[in-house]
C-alpha cells in the first residue's frame, strides 16, 4: 500500500491508481486449503448469481490463496432500471416529494446518478434476497462463506484532490461535502458535515474560555453560562442544519425506509395495516422484557467500572497526597497503569455483553439494532470517560472525608507490605485543582495518545503486514512454482487492488463516538479548565484531516449508505448538553471563590443550599434558553424545508394542471356578476317549477317564493326601512 | 326566548322551532333613526353583493328598527362549486391527503357535506374579500356598519336530541361528538371532546385523592406523585387523541391554512418563496420590539395584582388571626369583599391593555392574533387565580414572620381608627391549614358561584330583557301605528328568529379558559386538599351539560369554524402540569409531617435543603415520566395517523397505476435468469463492437474483454482455484 507521500504529494497519481477500469465492486474470494471441489462449486454459483441479476464479472488471482472477482453492472439499461425502481420506492415511502418521471432519460437528466448512488444500487443488487430481485449474497455466511469481502474501489483521483484541498484550507465547504457525499455516500458526508459544524462552533467557547482563563481563572460563572448558551445554540443549529442537508442531498426521510435485519426471528406473520403487505411480527412486550435487562446491565457496569475507578483514584490520592515514603515518584504511576490496563479489559467484556443483549432484543431492522447497540455503547463510554471526573467533582471535593476509610485501608496495606517506620505519611488535604489536572490529562494527553493509536499505529501495522505478506508471498511462490503472471498493462492496477483488499473496513460509528465523547468533556467539565475548547479546536482541525486520510488511504472504500441525520448521536449530544448545565453549575458553586491551594478546612463550609439552588437555577436557565432558541429557529425558515415545501406545492400544482385540466377550466370561471345573476334567476325559476310539481316540503319553498328575485327583496326592504325612518 | 322546560322537555318542539325553512344565515340589519337614504342605499348594495356571489335572499321585518335578511345558497351547483374549491384548496395546502375527485358527484358521495361545512362555506362566501370571490361583508365596519350581526339559525331538532341524550348519560360518546362537529363545527366539538376526556381522566385523581384524604390526610407524597403521573399521562394522551380526532374529522393541518387578519398593516409586498404569490410583509424585528413590551406589562400585572393580594391577605390574616376586637365576624368579610370588587376591576383594565398590546403587535393572521391574546389573558388569569394560593404556600407558610410589618401596619391603622384599649390582639400564629381552606373556597364556593353567573344569570337577564323588549315593542307599535303583520304560517318562525337575534354570541375561548384554570388548581395545589378532583368531577358533569345548554339555547348558533387542536391551551396545560410538579413537591415538603394545629415555632425548622431537593427530584421525576410516557405513546400507533398514512399510500399507488401504467408494466418484468443472461451477452457483444470502433478508453474495455462471458470467467476461476488446491 502506498504511503501518503508516495501517493498524493507527487504531481500525478502512481501507476495503477489513476483508473478503476469501471470496476464497481471487488469480491475477495478466499480459497480454502481443503475441500477444493466445494469451493469451485460455490465459485460457479457465485458467478452465476451475479450474472443472473445483470452484472458482468472478470476474475483475477488475488494473493496466494484467494481470487479477486471484479464486478460491474452489465449495461446502462440495467442501471437505469435499478435507478428507476429505487427512486420510485423512495417516493412511495415518502422519502421523495416528486416521483420519478415516466421518461427515464428526463429523470436522469434532472437528477444525474452519482458514484455513490450507483455503488449503493449495485451493492443492493448483489446482497438483496433473491425474492426481492437481488443475488442474495451474504458475505461470510452460509453458502457464501468463502466470500471474505465485498467492497468498491477507491476513486484515488477524487481522494487525492480532496486531501490536497482540505490540507490547504481552514474549513471544509459545501462543495467538499457534496464531493464526499457523491463519493462516499450521505452516511460519511454527515459525519464530516457534523464535525465541520462542531469545529466552526468551537471558536465561540474557545474564545470565551480563553478570556475567562486570562481574566477570571477557572470555575467562573461567566464561562459556565457561556458554555451552556453555546451548547444549546449549537444543538439547535445542528438539528436545523441536518434537515437542510438531508433535503439538499435528497435523502430526507430515507431513515423511514428500513432494511430488514436478516437475523430477526418472528413469531407470526400479519398484514401491514397501511400497505396491506404481510409483515413479520415479534411481540413488543417480549422485547420490552429483554430490554429491562438493560437495567441490571447498567448497574453492573456502574459497579464494575465504579469500583475500579474509586479504587484507583483513592490509591492515587493516597500515594500523591498522603504517602510520603520511598519510591513515591514511581508508585505515582501505579494507579494510572492499573486504569489504563483494566478499563479496556473490563469494557471489552461489557461491550461483548452489550452486543449479546442487543441481539437478544431481536430488532426487526438494522437501524433499530444499530441504535440500540449505540445506546449501550454510549452508556459504557460515558462511564469509562467521565466517571473519574464525576468522582473528583462530586465525591472527592465535597465529601473528601468519606475517602478516609479507603486511605486508611491503603495505609494499612502499605504498612503490611513495608514496615511502618520505613515511610512517613502526611495529613490528607482536599485539593480542588485535582479536577483541573484531570481535565488537562483528558483534553491534551489523551487526545494525543488517541491520534497516535488511530492514525500512526494502523500505518505502522500496515507497513509491517505488507512486509510480512511480501516475505510470505516470496516463500510460497518459491515453494509452489511460478504463479499465473499478471498481464503487464494490468499489473499495477492488480497490485493496488491486492493492497486495498488488506485494508480494514471503515466504521463511521467510531468517529462519531469520539466526537460526541469530546463534546461531553467540553460540556460537562470544561469549567474546571476553560482552555478545553482551545485544545479541541486544534485537535479537531487535525482530526478532520486525519479522518479523511483514514478513509481515503487506510481503509477500504466504504459502502456508500444513505442517511438523513447523525442518528442516535443526536440524542446523546442533547443529553450531554443538558447534563453539562447541571455539572457546570455544580462544579462552579462547589469550587469557585475557594483558594484552590487553601487549607482543607475550607471545603467543609460548602453551602448545600447554594449548590442545590445554583444547579436548580442553571437547569431552568437551560430550559428557558432552549425554548427561546427553538422559537427563533422556527422563525428562520430553513432553506431546505422551504425547498421541500416548494417542490411539493409545484408537484401538486402540476398534477392538478395535468389531470384536472378540464374540471378546473370549467370551474375556474369565477362566478361573476352577470353569470351568478343568471344562476340565481335560473335557480329560482328551477325551484319554482319544482315547488309546483311536488307537494311536500312546500312550506320551505313557499318561504323563499315570497320575494321573486332580487328586485322584490330590494323593494320590500326599502319600504320597510322607510317605514322605520318615518315613524 | 323559550326556556329549557318549554322547549325541550315536551315531546315535540314548539311551533316555529321545527324547521329553519332552509335558511343558511340571518343578517340582522339595524336601521338607523336618521339618514334613512344612506341606509336604503347600503341595504341595496348588501342584497346585490349577496346575490352576486350566488346567494338567494328574503327580507322580513325584525324588531322595531331592524330588518332580518334571510340568506341561503342559490342552488346545489353553487354549493358544490364552493365545496370543490374549498377541498381543492385544502389539498393544495397539505390539509388533505387525497385531492377531490374530478367527478363532483363522486366527491360528494364519498364525503357528504355536513351542515357545518355548508354553513362555513356560506359564511366565507359572504365575508371573503371580493378579489377572492366573496361578497366582502365585514359586519359593523365601513360600508357594512348597519350589519349588526350575521349568524346561522339553530337546528333545534338536533339540539333537543343532544341535550336529552347528554342528560341521561354519564359520558359523551363519539357519536355525540360527531353530531356536535357536524352541527357546530370542529372548533366547538374539540372543546367538548377535551372536556369529556378531562372529565373521564378526573376519575383517577379523584380516587387517589379520596383514598389519600381518608388514609393519609393532606400534604401526602403519595398523592403528589399520583397527581404528577396523572397530569403527564393525561397531557400526552390528549395530544394523541387530538391528532386522532383531527384525522377522523378530516381537519388535520387546517391550522396551517391561515385566514389573513383584515387589520394587519404591512410594510411592503414580497413574493412567497414557496407559492410565488405576492405576500404582505411586516418586519419581524419591529414586531419583536413590540412583543418585548410584554415584559413590563407582565411586571405591571404582577405588581398591581400582587399588591392587591398581599394587602388583602395580610389584612385578612390580621383580622382573623391577630385582631380580637369588636365586629370581628363582620370585619372578616372585608378583605374578601375588597378582593371580589377590585380583582375584576383591575383585570378588566389590564385586559383592555393586553388587547391593545396585541393589536400593536400587528399579526398577519387571525390565529396568530388570537394565540397572542390568549397567551396574555392566560398570564392575567394565572395571576388572579393562583396568586393568593402562591402567596399562602410560599410566603405565608415558610416566611410568615416577613408579614409582621404588614400586621403591625394594620394594627396601627386599627388603633388610629379606634382607640387601642377598645380591642385586644392575640399572638400571630402561622396556620398551615389556611391553604386548605383557600383551596376549599376555590374548588367549591367559587365553582358554584361561577355556575350561577354563567348559566343562571344570563337566563334571568334574558327573561328581563325579553319583558323589556315586549313592553318597548308595545309602546312603539302603539305610537307608530300598525306594523307590517307577519304571514300567519311564518309568524312562529319569525318570532323565534327575532328572539335568537337577541342572544349573545358564543365564545368557546371562555369555556376553554375555565377548564384550563380548573386544571391548574388541580395540578398546582390539590395536595393541600386532595378532595379537589372529586369536586371537579361533579362540577364538570354539570359543566358539560350546562355548556351544551348554553350553546343550544342561551347563545346564537356559532359560526362552525374548523380547528385541528385545542390551540394555545395545549401549551398552557403542559405548563401547568410541569409547574404543578414543582409546587406540589414544595407544598408537601413545607407542610407535611407538621401538625397543622401545632405552634408557630414549628415553622422555623423548615429544612431549606430538603425543600429544594424535593422540588429538584420531583421535577426530574416529571421529566423522566414524560419521556417514558412519550416513548410508550409513540409505540402505540394512533388509529388516526395510521388511517392517514394508509390514505397517502393508497393515493400514491393509485396515481402510479393510473399515470405510469405503461412504464411500470414494461419494467415490472423482473430480470429473470434467461433474460438477464441475454442482457449480459448482448451488452458484452455490444461493448466489444464499440471497443473495436473507437480507439480511446481502450484499456477499460480491454480489462472487461479478457473473459468473454460467464463461461470464460467460470473456467478461469476454477483453474485458479485448482492451482491453489494442488499446491
Amino acid at each position: 500500500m502506498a504511503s501518503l507521500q508516495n501517493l498524493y504529494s507527487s504531481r500525478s497519481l502512481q501507476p495503477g491508481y489513476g483508473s478503476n477500469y469501471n470496476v464497481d465492486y471487488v469480491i475477495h474470494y478466499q480459497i480454502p486449503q481443503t475441500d477444493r471441489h466445494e469451493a469451485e462449486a460455490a465459485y460457479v454459483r457465485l458467478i452465476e448469481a451475479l450474472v443472473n441479476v445483470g452484472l458482468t464479472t472478470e476474475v483475477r488471482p488475488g494473493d496466494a490463496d484467494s481470487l479477486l472477482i471484479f464486478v460491474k453492472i452489465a449495461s446502462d439499461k440495467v442501471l437505469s432500471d435499478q435507478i428507476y425502481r429505487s427512486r420510485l420506492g423512495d417516493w412511495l415511502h415518502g422519502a421523495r416529494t416528486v416521483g420519478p418521471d415516466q421518461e427515464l432519460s428526463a429523470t436522469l437528466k434532472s437528477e444525474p446518478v452519482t458514484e455513490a448512488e450507483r455503488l449503493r444500487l449495485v451493492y443492493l443488487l448483489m446482497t438483496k434476497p433473491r425474492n426481492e430481485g437481488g443475488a442474495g449474497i451474504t458475505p461470510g455466511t452460509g453458502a457464501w462463506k468463502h466470500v471474505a469481502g465485498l467492497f468498491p474501489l477507491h476513486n484515488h483521483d477524487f481522494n487525492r484532490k480532496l486531501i490536497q484541498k482540505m490540507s490547504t484550507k481552514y474549513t471544509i465547504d459545501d462543495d467538499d461535502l457534496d464531493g464526499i457525499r457523491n463519493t462516499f455516500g450521505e452516511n460519511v458526508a454527515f459525519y464530516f458535515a457534523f464535525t465541520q459544524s462542531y469545529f466552526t462552533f468551537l471558536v465561540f467557547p474557545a474564545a470565551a474560555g480563553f478570556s475567562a482563563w486570562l481574566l477570571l481563572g477557572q470555575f467562573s460563572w461567566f464561562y459556565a453560562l457561556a458554555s451552556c448558551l453555546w451548547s444549546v445554540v449549537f444543538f439547535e443549529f445542528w438539528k436545523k442544519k441536518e434537515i437542510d442537508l438531508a433535503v439538499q442531498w435528497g435523502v430526507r426521510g430515507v431513515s423511514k425506509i428500513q432494511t430488514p435485519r436478516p437475523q430477526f426471528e418472528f413469531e407470526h406473520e400479519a398484514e401491514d395495516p397501511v400497505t396491506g403487505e404481510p409483515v413479520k411480527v415479534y411481540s413488543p412486550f417480549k422485547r420490552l422484557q429483554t430490554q429491562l435487562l438493560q437495567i441490571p446491565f447498567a448497574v453492573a457496569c456502574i459497579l464494575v467500572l465504579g469500583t475500579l475507578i474509586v479504587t484507583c483514584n483513592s490509591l492515587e490520592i493516597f500515594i500523591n497526597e498522603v504517602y510520603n515514603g520511598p519510591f513515591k515518584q514511581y508508585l505515582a504511576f501505579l494507579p494510572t497503569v492499573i486504569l489504563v490496563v483494566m478499563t479496556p479489559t473490563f469494557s471489552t467484556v461489557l461491550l461483548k455483553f452489550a452486543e449479546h443483549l442487543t441481539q437478544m432484543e431481536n430488532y426487526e431492522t438494522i437501524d433499530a439494532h444499530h441504535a440500540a447497540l449505540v445506546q449501550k455503547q454510549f452508556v459504557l463510554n460515558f462511564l469509562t470517560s467521565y466517571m473519574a471526573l464525576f468522582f473528583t467533582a462530586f465525591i472527592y471535593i465535597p465529601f473528601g472525608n468519606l475517602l478516609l476509610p479507603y486511605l486508611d485501608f491503603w495505609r494499612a496495606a502499605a504498612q503490611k507490605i513495608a514496615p511502618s517506620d520505613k515511610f512517613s505519611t502526611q495529613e490528607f488535604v482536599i485539593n480542588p485543582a485535582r479536577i483541573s489536572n484531570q481535565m488537562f490529562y483528558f483534553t491534551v494527553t489523551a487526545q494525543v495518545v488517541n491520534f497516535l493509536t488511530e492514525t500512526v499505529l494502523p500505518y505502522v501495522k500496515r507497513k509491517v503486514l505488507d512486509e510480512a505478506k511480501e516475505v510470505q508471498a516470496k516463500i510460497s511462490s518459491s515453494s509452489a512454482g511460478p504463479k499465473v503472471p499478471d498481464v503487464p498493462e494490468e499489473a499495477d492496477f492488480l497490485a493496488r487492488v491486492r493492497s486495498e483488499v488488506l485494508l480494514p473496513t471503515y466504521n463511521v460509528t467510531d468517529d462519531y463516538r469520539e466526537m460526541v465523547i469530546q463534546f461531553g468533556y467540553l460540556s460537562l467539565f470544561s469549567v474546571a479548565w476553560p482552555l478545553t475548547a482551545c485544545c479541541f479546536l486544534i485537535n479537531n482541525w487535525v482530526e478532520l484531516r486525519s479522518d479523511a486520510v483514514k478513509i481515503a488511504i487506510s481503509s477500504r472504500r466504504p459502502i456508500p449508505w444513505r442517511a438523513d441525520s447523525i442518528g442516535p448521536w443526536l440524542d446523546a449530544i442533547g443529553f450531554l448538553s443538558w447534563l453539562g448545565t447541571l455539572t457546570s453549575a455544580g462544579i462552579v458553586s462547589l469550587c469557585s471563590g475557594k483558594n484552590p491551594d487553601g487549607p482543607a478546612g475550607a471545603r467543609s463550609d460548602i453551602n448545600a443550599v447554594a449548590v442545590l439552588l445554583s444547579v436548580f437555577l442553571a437547569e431552568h436557565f437551560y430550559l428557558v434558553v432552549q425554548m427561546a432558541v427553538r422559537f427563533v429557529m422556527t422563525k428562520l425558515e430553513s432553506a431546505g424545508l422551504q425547498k421541500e415545501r416548494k417542490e411539493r406545492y409545484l408537484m401538486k400544482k402540476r398534477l392538478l394542471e395535468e389531470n384536472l385540466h378540464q374540471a378546473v377550466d370549467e370551474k375556474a370561471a369565477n362566478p361573476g356578476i352577470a353569470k351568478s345573476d343568471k344562476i340565481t334567476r335560473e335557480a329560482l325559476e328551477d325551484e319554482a317549477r319544482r315547488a309546483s310539481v311536488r307537494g311536500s316540503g312546500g312550506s320551505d319553498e313557499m318561504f323563499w317564493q315570497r320575494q321573486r328575485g332580487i328586485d322584490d327583496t330590494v323593494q320590500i326592504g326599502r319600504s320597510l326601512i322607510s317605514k322605520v325612518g318615518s315613524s
Side-chain angles (χ1 to χ4, degrees), chain A:
Chain A
M1 180 69 210
S3 73
L4 189 57
Q5 283 81 5
N6 301 346
L7 184 54
Y8 288 156
S9 61
S10 55
R11 294 256 151 179
S12 62
L13 286 166
Q14 286 197 323
Y17 284 76
S19 160
N20 281 345
Y21 289 111
N22 292 336
V23 170
D24 286 325
Y25 275 85
V26 175
I27 298 178
H28 184 220
Y29 192 83
Q30 204 76 41
I31 307 165
Q33 291 296 326
T34 56
D35 208 356
R36 197 176 41 166
H37 290 291
E38 192 267 328
E40 267 187 50
Y43 167 77
V44 175
R45 275 202 307 278
L46 174 66
I47 299 294
E48 274 177 359
L50 292 171
V51 170
N52 279 348
V53 291
L55 298 167
T56 307
T57 52
E58 285 275 321
V59 67
R60 299 284 184 276
D63 56 6
D65 51 359
S66 69
L67 297 182
L68 297 176
I69 303 165
F70 294 90
V71 177
K72 77 163 184 173
I73 206 150
S75 69
D76 286 350
K77 196 160 169 309
V78 178
L79 178 65
S80 53
D81 180 64
Q82 288 298 322
I83 293 165
Y84 185 82
R85 282 161 180 281
S86 146
R87 293 187 180 175
L88 200 64
D90 287 356
W91 180 66
L92 267 178
H93 282 91
R96 293 172 72 92
T97 30
V98 190
D101 211 297
Q102 277 169 271
E103 280 302 309
L104 256 174
S105 54
T107 304
L108 291 178
K109 210 170 165 185
S110 68
E111 204 182 330
V113 198
T114 63
E115 245 180 69
E117 187 173 11
R118 178 190 170 107
L119 288 177
R120 184 172 53 82
L121 292 175
V122 175
Y123 184 79
L124 285 176
L125 200 57
M126 293 189 291
T127 56
K128 263 193 304 191
R130 277 164 186 270
N131 58 2
E132 290 176 28
I137 296 169
T138 49
T141 57
W144 315 107
K145 65 175 179 232
H146 301 309
V147 177
L150 191 62
F151 62 96
L153 288 177
H154 272 297
N155 178 346
H156 279 289
D157 194 32
F158 169 83
N159 290 0
R160 176 166 148 262
K161 280 185 196 138
L162 176 72
I163 290 175
Q164 275 178 353
K165 262 162 81 184
M166 279 175 79
S167 54
T168 53
K169 281 196 306 187
Y170 186 65
T171 57
I172 302 175
D173 58 25
D174 285 355
D175 270 1
D176 301 333
L177 286 178
D178 284 347
I180 294 173
R181 176 236 170 186
N182 294 343
T183 312
F184 297 112
E186 287 82 8
N187 194 24
V188 171
F190 260 113
Y191 169 70
F192 278 91
F194 169 74
T195 308
Q196 175 58 41
S197 293
Y198 172 53
F199 170 71
T200 315
F201 261 79
L202 267 180
V203 172
F204 300 101
F210 188 72
S211 31
W213 179 76
L214 267 186
L215 306 169
L216 304 160
Q218 52 215 17
F219 309 128
S220 76
W221 275 113
F222 160 76
Y223 178 76
L225 286 182
S227 157
C228 165
L229 258 174
W230 172 79
S231 70
V232 174
V233 173
F234 171 64
F235 182 60
E236 298 298 328
F237 166 84
W238 174 255
K239 281 207 293 193
K240 204 178 172 66
K241 173 91 183 173
E242 198 175 72
I243 294 173
D244 265 20
L245 282 174
V247 173
Q248 190 186 318
W249 291 337
V251 288
R252 186 162 148 78
V254 295
S255 60
K256 281 182 287 183
I257 308 172
Q258 296 282 351
T259 324
R261 203 170 137 258
Q263 297 92 328
F264 171 63
E265 286 165 12
F266 62 100
E267 292 181 324
H268 63 274
E269 285 206 338
E271 198 176 74
D272 187 304
V274 173
T275 59
E277 288 164 4
V279 282
K280 296 162 177 172
V281 179
Y282 179 74
S283 157
F285 293 102
K286 265 199 180 170
R287 182 172 300 134
L288 189 68
Q289 280 174 16
T290 324
Q291 281 169 332
L292 286 178
L293 288 177
Q294 288 180 20
I295 297 169
F297 173 68
V299 173
C301 290
I302 292 173
L303 283 181
V304 169
L305 295 168
T307 313
L308 178 66
I309 283 160
V310 172
T311 310
C312 290
N313 269 274
S314 61
L315 181 59
E316 197 197 331
I317 292 163
F318 174 73
I319 293 171
N320 283 334
E321 290 166 32
V322 179
Y323 181 75
N324 210 7
F327 311 117
K328 182 171 172 167
Q329 63 270 47
Y330 306 109
L331 282 175
F333 288 103
L334 183 65
T336 313
V337 170
I338 298 178
L339 263 185
V340 167
V341 174
M342 297 305 278
T343 312
T345 317
F346 284 156
S347 344
T348 312
V349 173
L350 291 169
L351 220 54
K352 275 267 172 304
F353 202 80
E355 272 166 30
H356 188 66
L357 211 58
T358 315
Q359 223 134 56
M360 275 168 65
E361 286 165 15
N362 191 21
Y363 290 100
E364 276 146 71
T365 62
I366 290 180
D367 275 8
H369 180 84
H370 180 239
L373 187 60
V374 161
Q375 214 174 23
K376 295 190 190 69
Q377 287 173 342
F378 177 70
V379 171
L380 264 172
N381 282 304
F382 183 90
L383 293 175
T384 50
S385 309
Y386 309 132
M387 218 178 191
L389 286 160
F390 270 109
F391 175 79
T392 308
F394 299 108
I395 295 184
Y396 169 78
I397 293 179
F399 310 114
N401 296 333
L402 288 181
L403 289 177
L404 285 178
Y406 281 93
L407 301 183
D408 285 340
F409 168 78
W410 290 121
R411 194 189 314 249
Q415 275 167 338
K416 270 223 175 110
I417 295 164
S420 64
D421 48 73
K422 279 221 177 137
F423 68 93
S424 63
T425 55
Q426 59 197 29
E427 188 62 28
F428 170 51
V429 171
I430 294 172
N431 175 15
R434 190 177 154 75
I435 187 167
S436 308
N437 299 340
Q438 277 182 314
M439 269 306 280
F440 178 81
Y441 167 74
F442 281 116
T443 48
V444 181
T445 324
Q447 299 276 344
V448 170
V449 170
N450 184 47
F451 172 76
L452 294 180
T453 53
E454 200 186 358
T455 315
V456 181
L457 196 69
Y459 180 79
V460 174
K461 212 162 127 191
R462 214 176 51 232
K463 277 277 163 202
V464 173
L465 224 88
D466 279 3
E467 295 289 327
K469 275 265 167 184
E470 251 169 62
V471 173
Q472 199 186 18
K474 262 180 206 159
I475 296 166
S476 68
S477 68
S478 63
S479 73
K483 258 184 61 179
V484 187
D486 290 334
V487 184
E489 56 264 45
E490 289 176 13
D492 287 332
F493 172 70
L494 290 177
R496 170 202 150 201
V497 174
R498 282 178 197 126
S499 71
E500 273 183 34
V501 167
L502 299 179
L503 298 177
T505 348
Y506 174 74
N507 186 358
V508 77
T509 307
D510 295 332
D511 282 342
Y512 272 127
R513 179 182 307 126
E514 206 180 315
M515 281 299 114
V516 170
I517 292 294
Q518 191 197 75
F519 178 84
Y521 281 121
L522 185 64
S523 163
L524 296 171
F525 301 107
S526 63
V527 275
W529 197 58
L531 290 182
T532 308
C534 298
C535 291
F536 286 163
L537 194 68
I538 299 163
N539 178 75
N540 288 0
W541 194 93
V542 180
E543 178 78 32
L544 261 173
R545 274 82 193 160
S546 75
D547 282 341
V549 170
K550 190 165 80 179
I551 297 185
I553 301 177
S554 313
S555 311
R556 288 180 187 173
R557 180 169 180 173
I559 313 291
W561 290 118
R562 294 193 295 183
D564 63 357
S565 79
I566 60 169
W569 299 108
L570 193 69
D571 292 334
I573 291 174
F575 171 74
L576 289 172
S577 137
W578 164 79
L579 191 62
T581 314
L582 303 195
T583 55
S584 300
I587 292 173
V588 171
S589 57
L590 280 170
C591 303
S592 76
K594 305 275 156 48
N595 180 3
D597 311 316
R603 291 272 78 71
S604 64
D605 65 350
I606 286 167
N607 189 341
V609 175
V611 173
L612 268 174
L613 205 63
S614 55
V615 171
F616 186 76
L617 291 178
E619 182 168 19
H620 289 90
F621 174 74
Y622 172 85
L623 292 175
V624 168
V625 168
Q626 192 182 53
M627 256 170 59
V629 173
R630 281 191 185 160
F631 177 77
V632 172
M633 289 285 181
T634 55
K635 289 288 154 191
L636 307 171
E637 188 164 36
S638 116
L641 284 183
Q642 203 175 68
K643 185 187 158 209
E644 200 184 54
R645 282 206 298 128
K646 184 161 189 171
E647 267 177 9
R648 191 161 278 151
Y649 182 86
L650 290 177
M651 188 263 298
K652 283 188 177 170
K653 221 172 162 182
R654 192 172 52 89
L655 264 179
L656 212 69
E657 277 161 13
E658 276 177 15
N659 298 347
L660 312 174
H661 205 271
Q662 269 202 316
V664 170
D665 261 5
E666 201 182 293
K667 280 165 214 318
N670 230 321
I673 295 180
K675 197 182 169 198
S676 65
D677 218 342
K678 206 176 66 195
I679 288 174
T680 344
R681 292 281 168 89
E682 274 172 11
L684 283 170
E685 283 163 24
D686 221 50
E687 277 180 46
R689 231 174 291 125
R690 258 184 290 151
S692 64
V693 171
R694 54 190 165 114
S696 71
S699 74
D700 285 6
E701 306 290 344
M702 283 300 285
F703 182 83
W704 293 99
Q705 302 295 320
R706 298 227 186 275
Q707 291 149 19
R708 298 203 160 245
I710 181 166
D711 297 334
D712 277 15
T713 312
V714 166
Q715 277 313 317
I716 294 172
R718 291 178 75 159
S719 78
L720 283 168
I721 291 174
S722 61
K723 265 177 209 154
V724 169
S726 66
S727 71

